[in-house]
Amino acid sequence: MDVLITGGDGFVGQHLCSELIDRGHDVTSLSRTPDPSVLPDEVTLTQGDVTDYDSIEGAFEGKDVVVNLAALPPLHQPPRETSHDSVCIGGSINAVEAAEEHGVTKFIEMSSLGADPNGEIAYWRTQGLGEEVVRCSDLDWIIFRPSFIFGGGSETFTFIKQYTTPYVTVLPDGGKMPEFQPIWVGDCVKMFADGVESDDHVGEVYELAGPEVLTFAEVTRLLYKADGKSVEIVPVPMLIATITLYALDPIPQIPLGINQARALQLTNVTDRNDIGVFGFDKSDLTGLSTYLEGKQKKPKQQQIAANTS
Ligand SMILES: NC(=O)c1ccc[n+]([C@@H]2O[C@H](COP(=O)([O-])OP(=O)(O)OC[C@H]3O[C@@H](n4cnc5c(N)ncnc54)[C@H](OP(=O)(O)O)[C@@H]3O)[C@@H](O)[C@H]2O)c1
């Protein structure tokens, strides 16, 4: 198949491009600043901005499947020249329109667990509205809502180490929140690639989550433990952390604010984990602690074969 991936050189995209190349597909990655150094040589790179229709439209010609990964991370406030609204909503509108214009067969929208058109946090609200755009299209669509995805190149690891310290660190409410159900990128991309290849998933919304529910404090401890360091966590009241982040919001040089304050109270877990649809059981998934100990589980070859039609 000929597959276009918007945001193909981002964290998830790099792993998905490799998976699709390994499965024998033709892959094109579209982003604003294409970076060939992070992608297999077989991937074609093209430059475009999903907020600018004319800059992306041509890349959709002749494609069988589009995977829309272009997004801004939720960890920091976006730079002033862009926004979650323009990339997640505007970008989805442009990508869907270009896909319809060029007769693309299937459109896969990467949303995330907690996506909610009425949500209070810009990232999840715009993901929810991006989903609506795709649902209203004439395309054969699939929507994935993964939880926090971890693995090589994960910005979340960098973020945690940027704002915490080994041995003793301060966390709002002792890091009891947010709660996550982290899923390994190596497991995720197998499910996304099955979505690309199989006709069984059209019109479905899949929530994907890892084998364990972990708090921010637990993720922080695991990260430092992998470096051979312990962490004593000193709680700071949530109210103080929230007031501080609200006060920082108008300062352009500080990329933290109201959205991050709201995200501190998040429970990003699901009771409805759809990994089973792709032949996975919780015990097949690589958990964060296992990953950090360098013991990723082997890919499920029989599952890949079963889903490759
Ligand atoms: N990572 C996670 O834990 C996680 C969890 C759940 C869902 N997701 C979803 O998975 C998708 C990919 O996430 P990720 O972690 O791989 O993000 P990422 O590492 O930040 O990559 C984002 C990609 O989008 C591109 N991009 C951003 N703005 C763009 C624009 N205006 N036009 C074209 N390309 C643009 C970036 O390249 P340029 O900056 O060069 O344009 C980059 O290639 C997103 O939809 C995200 O919401 C991620």
Side-chain angles (χ1 to χ4, degrees), residues 4-308:
L4 172 67
I5 305 183
T6 71
D9 58 1
F11 163 56
V12 175
Q14 294 168 29
H15 293 270
L16 182 57
C17 284
S18 297
E19 179 70 22
L20 291 173
I21 291 291
D22 287 350
R23 294 189 186 201
H25 299 289
D26 293 323
V27 179
T28 301
S29 167
L30 179 149
S31 62
R32 291 168 302 176
T33 51
D35 181 359
S37 71
V38 298
L39 291 171
D41 292 342
E42 296 88 340
V43 175
T44 304
L45 285 96
T46 186
Q47 201 268 334
D49 184 332
V50 293
T51 67
D52 172 8
Y53 182 78
D54 291 341
S55 76
I56 63 166
E57 179 258 321
F60 288 67
E61 190 178 346
K63 297 295 182 287
D64 302 306
V65 182
V66 168
V67 185
N68 189 25
L69 297 182
L72 302 170
L75 302 168
H76 288 122
Q77 306 268 51
R80 297 246 147 185
E81 67 275 10
T82 185
S83 69
H84 290 295
D85 285 75
S86 64
V87 178
C88 265
I89 309 171
S92 294
I93 291 171
N94 287 335
V96 161
E97 193 179 331
E100 287 177 340
E101 173 70 26
H102 286 284
V104 169
T105 313
K106 192 190 284 177
F107 192 99
I108 300 181
E109 175 77 352
M110 197 57 57
S111 182
S112 60
L113 197 61
D116 174 2
N118 301 309
E120 286 194 328
I121 301 172
Y123 174 79
W124 281 278
R125 176 180 55 76
T126 57
Q127 294 269 6
L129 289 166
E131 287 187 10
E132 292 298 310
V133 170
V134 174
R135 276 199 194 89
C136 293
S137 74
D138 294 331
L139 301 161
D140 284 349
W141 54 261
I142 305 169
I143 294 170
F144 283 104
R145 288 182 185 165
S147 179
F148 149 41
I149 304 173
F150 65 87
S154 167
E155 200 186 336
T156 311
F157 290 171
T158 314
F159 177 86
I160 292 175
K161 289 201 169 168
Q162 189 179 354
Y163 292 100
T164 63
T165 47
Y167 309 116
V168 179
T169 202
V170 172
L171 286 183
D173 203 19
K176 289 183 203 145
M177 300 282 273
E179 276 186 328
F180 313 102
Q181 222 170 332
I183 184 162
W184 180 44
V185 68
D187 290 328
C188 264
V189 296
K190 298 209 176 321
M191 301 184 218
F192 303 156
D194 289 347
V196 167
E197 291 175 335
S198 167
D199 289 334
D200 295 344
H201 308 298
V202 170
E204 300 290 344
V205 179
Y206 293 120
E207 301 206 336
L208 305 178
E212 53 205 353
V213 174
L214 297 170
T215 63
F216 191 68
E218 286 167 330
V219 174
T220 304
R221 282 203 188 92
L222 284 171
L223 268 183
Y224 284 112
K225 189 177 166 204
D227 294 343
K229 296 170 184 166
S230 63
V231 186
E232 189 66 36
I233 291 175
V234 179
V236 60
M238 186 63 87
L239 184 63
I240 292 181
T242 304
I243 290 170
T244 306
L245 286 167
Y246 270 68
L248 293 175
D249 194 76
I251 305 172
Q253 291 81 5
I254 299 183
L256 299 172
I258 293 172
N259 283 302
Q260 286 68 35
R262 290 173 176 158
L264 281 176
Q265 324 245 5
L266 203 69
T267 303
N268 201 228
V269 301
T270 179
D271 294 332
R272 185 204 114 182
N273 195 345
D274 294 314
I275 54 169
V277 173
F278 299 92
F280 279 80
D281 182 77
K282 267 191 187 176
S283 60
D284 301 319
L285 299 174
T286 293
L288 182 62
S289 38
T290 313
Y291 171 81
L292 290 171
E293 286 160 13
K295 296 178 193 158
Q296 292 96 316
K297 295 189 177 172
K298 293 269 185 299
K300 288 190 74 187
Q301 297 302 339
Q302 71 277 26
Q303 185 269 336
I304 296 166
N307 286 293
T308 308

